[in-house]
Amino acid sequence: MFRLDSKIALVTGGSRGIGRACVEALARQGATVIINYVKGEAAARELSDQIVAAGGKAEIAGFDVADTAATESQVDAIIKRHGRIDILVASAGIAIDGLLLRLKDEDLDKLFNTNVRGSLTVARAATKSMMRSKWGRIIFLSSVVGEMGNVGQTGYAATKAALIGAAKSIAREYATRNVTANVIAPGFIDTDMTAGMTDPQREAIHKLVPLGRTGKAEEVAAAAVYLASEEAGYITGQVLRVNGGMYV
Ligand code: NAD
């Protein structure tokens, strides 16, 4: 079940964290995975080499999702090289935290340009080929805070909530082309993004999570594999929460 042989998958922000775990999981299921990175070229290359050495299929593609022209030309080049993109996991994202009163315009621009515009431009470029092949899977990475909010995360939460509205709209727009669009909303997952948390902050979070622990990137990646699979073909416009019960 959930095999992805012969599928072409693009994972943005694929060199580390949740994106990296998605790359590994998709490749294990047989997909050819294109690993997007913006800063982590060495890590992306190492990951790609590892997958190929293990008998899988992977390559790297460096571009900044906030740069629309670069994104469009790189996604077009991937489609030209492989004939199509079947699966997009848009994991590239940034967090800039701060109370609303202290949120700077430039921080809001950075957040929205990367998390929202970046995810949508890459989806727009990838769906061109999905429409032609009448098969596609778009998966956005939202967050538990996009649904429940959080003190000090107004800007970040707004971008993550925006992706839910976007995925629901894409789901309706592309349904006749057999393209599904879904969102994964992780809770607190152990990655570099959350590595800066202090022990007291971590303990406070554990108390909010019925399962009593933070999540693993692999647990988010398993949800991505599922949503990317043939078996999830009747699921679209949904939010799959991977949060240990933190928000139900
Ligand atoms: P991370 O910081 O470890 O990885 C994010 C990756 O995105 C990095 O490799 C980074 O270089 C890349 N990236 C950032 N800006 C980019 C750009 N403009 N173009 C291309 N790549 C870019 O973060 P993570 O924890 O793996 O988070 C992955 C996604 O999951 C993010 O969208 C994040 O908002 C979301 N998320 C994370 C958590 C968590 O607890 N870690 C919780 C909820 C949601």
Side-chain angles (χ1 to χ4, degrees):
M1 267 184 121
F2 313 133
R3 289 298 305 172
L4 299 172
D5 303 291
S6 83
K7 298 293 187 210
I8 312 294
L10 168 62
V11 180
T12 67
S15 68
R16 72 176 211 191
I18 290 169
R20 183 186 177 100
C22 289
V23 166
E24 289 171 333
L26 294 167
R28 256 195 316 272
Q29 293 309 108
T32 298
V33 189
I34 293 100
I35 308 165
N36 159 257
Y37 64 89
V38 67
K39 285 185 197 136
E41 179 171 356
R45 199 175 291 283
E46 193 196 311
L47 177 58
S48 165
D49 289 348
Q50 256 174 41
I51 290 168
V52 172
K57 287 167 256 130
E59 64 183 49
I60 63 171
F63 60 92
D64 177 349
V65 298
D67 178 341
T68 301
T71 299
E72 286 181 338
S73 79
Q74 289 281 338
V75 172
D76 285 351
I78 294 164
I79 293 170
K80 214 174 249 164
R81 233 176 9 258
H82 294 279
R84 59 190 202 284
I85 291 173
D86 302 304
I87 298 161
L88 166 67
V89 180
S91 186
I94 55 169
I96 303 173
D97 296 341
L99 297 172
L100 177 61
L101 271 176
R102 302 215 181 97
L103 257 185
K104 298 192 199 97
D105 285 350
E106 65 243 46
D107 291 341
L108 281 172
D109 287 346
K110 274 190 212 151
L111 278 167
F112 275 86
N113 286 345
T114 302
N115 296 0
V116 183
R117 195 157 60 73
S119 297
L120 297 192
T121 49
V122 78
R124 184 177 63 197
T127 49
K128 281 194 252 165
S129 95
M130 294 177 182
M131 279 170 62
R132 274 198 299 274
S133 56
K134 295 203 165 55
W135 201 98
R137 300 281 188 263
I138 306 278
I139 301 165
F140 288 147
L141 265 297
S142 178
S143 165
V144 66
V145 304
E147 290 194 286
M148 66 181 271
N150 195 20
V151 173
Q153 291 202 299
T154 297
Y156 176 73
T159 65
K160 293 294 159 178
L163 291 175
I164 296 176
K168 290 184 180 195
S169 303
I170 295 169
R172 290 183 185 277
E173 231 171 273
Y174 288 81
T176 57
R177 303 300 181 115
N178 197 31
V179 175
T180 68
N182 291 290
V183 175
I184 299 175
F188 282 89
I189 308 298
D190 282 320
T191 67
D192 291 327
M193 193 179 259
T194 50
M197 282 194 308
T198 60
D199 283 346
Q201 279 172 327
R202 209 169 273 277
E203 275 159 35
I205 284 163
H206 289 177
K207 286 200 185 106
L208 298 173
V209 181
L211 284 177
R213 62 173 177 87
T214 47
K216 300 187 197 110
E218 294 73 27
E219 292 171 313
V220 180
V225 164
Y226 172 58
L227 290 174
S229 71
E230 201 64 62
E231 287 84 347
Y234 201 51
I235 298 175
T236 195
Q238 304 300 316
V239 180
L240 179 46
R241 299 173 182 138
V242 184
N243 64 19
M246 184 178 177
Y247 178 79
V248 292

